[in-house]
Amino acid sequence: TFEKYENFMINFYKLFYENSLKSRYYTRISNLFSGIENTPLSSQKEIYNFFQENLINIDLIPYHSTSFGLANNLSKEQNLYIKQRFESVMEFVSSINSKLIIFNGKEHLKLLDEYNYLENAKIHDINDRVKLYVFYINSVPCILFSKMITQAGTGIKNEHMREIIAKIIKKHLNIL
């Protein structure tokens, strides 16, 4: 039912903690928020409580595999759907006075570039594999990582997220 789905989405992070679910993704990304907010997030309880109070997880494309290939394999109708969904999501996050929107990965890079949102972005080389884009959509501060920063092989360590990347974000956006 819709009520069960709504409860799941509203209590998403709380359910992770209550059911002792562990997520490498959320544990890794917590280092970024720890650095931005200057708040230690070292236990699963701290991480999920912080996320429950401060984050909304919106997937632009409901579950898809990494081989989905957003920009290359879609029909005109599918591209139109993605663009309309993206615009709806941006309208929603703008309406709730979001402090920051984070896009993570090359699929978002393709999409944001195609829709010309990155024209005025400030670009930082985090290392030789990952770039950080800082920009605005509807006056909402946004960051984009050119690759999934939570995956292995990016060369980004937890302390990089907590210290270097968080410092870049705070400097450019002066938001938190």
Side-chain angles (χ1 to χ4, degrees):
T1 66
F2 179 78
E3 289 77 24
K4 287 181 181 178
Y5 175 76
E6 180 181 38
N7 180 58
F8 173 74
M9 293 309 292
I10 289 171
N11 296 301
F12 185 76
Y13 300 108
K14 183 178 176 185
L15 293 170
F16 263 79
Y17 177 70
E18 288 175 349
N19 292 288
S20 300
L21 301 174
K22 294 185 179 178
S23 165
R24 183 178 186 278
Y25 177 85
Y26 291 124
T27 301
R28 291 263 296 144
I29 203 83
S30 71
N31 289 285
L32 178 64
F33 292 104
S34 178
I36 291 171
E37 292 282 333
N38 297 318
T39 302
L41 298 172
S42 51
S43 72
Q44 293 296 312
K45 183 176 183 177
E46 291 171 334
I47 291 168
Y48 292 127
N49 282 341
F50 176 85
F51 285 1
Q52 184 66 37
E53 293 299 316
N54 295 287
L55 299 185
I56 300 173
N57 183 14
I58 301 174
D59 289 324
L60 181 59
I61 305 163
Y63 176 78
H64 64 282
S65 70
T66 55
S67 64
F68 179 69
L70 179 64
N72 300 327
N73 301 326
L74 300 181
S75 68
K76 285 182 182 181
E77 292 82 13
Q78 290 167 324
N79 269 317
L80 179 61
Y81 167 78
I82 294 295
K83 186 169 185 175
Q84 289 171 340
R85 182 169 167 90
F86 180 80
E87 290 169 351
S88 294
V89 168
M90 291 300 97
E91 185 177 319
F92 169 72
V93 294
S94 298
S95 74
I96 61 171
N97 300 317
S98 299
K99 288 184 180 181
L100 179 65
I101 301 172
I102 299 174
F103 298 96
N104 195 9
K106 68 180 180 179
E107 298 301 337
H108 291 107
L109 173 61
K110 292 176 188 176
L111 188 69
L112 291 163
D113 190 41
E114 182 179 322
Y115 298 160
N116 299 315
Y117 286 110
L118 300 177
E119 288 179 334
N120 297 315
K122 293 186 179 1
I123 304 170
H124 298 270
D125 292 320
I126 300 301
N127 60 30
D128 62 341
R129 290 168 267 185
V130 181
K131 294 182 184 308
L132 170 66
Y133 296 74
V134 182
F135 58 102
Y136 290 82
I137 297 177
N138 301 337
S139 301
V140 178
C142 302
I143 61 170
L144 161 69
F145 294 98
S146 61
K147 296 197 186 228
M148 291 288 286
I149 61 165
T150 53
Q151 290 182 337
T154 61
I156 297 176
K157 297 181 177 164
N158 291 340
E159 55 269 15
H160 292 136
M161 283 197 262
R162 239 184 344 267
E163 297 163 13
I164 298 166
I165 298 171
K167 185 177 180 180
I168 292 169
I169 293 167
K170 290 193 302 188
K171 174 186 169 201
H172 279 289
L173 301 178
N174 197 22
I175 51 169
L176 303 170

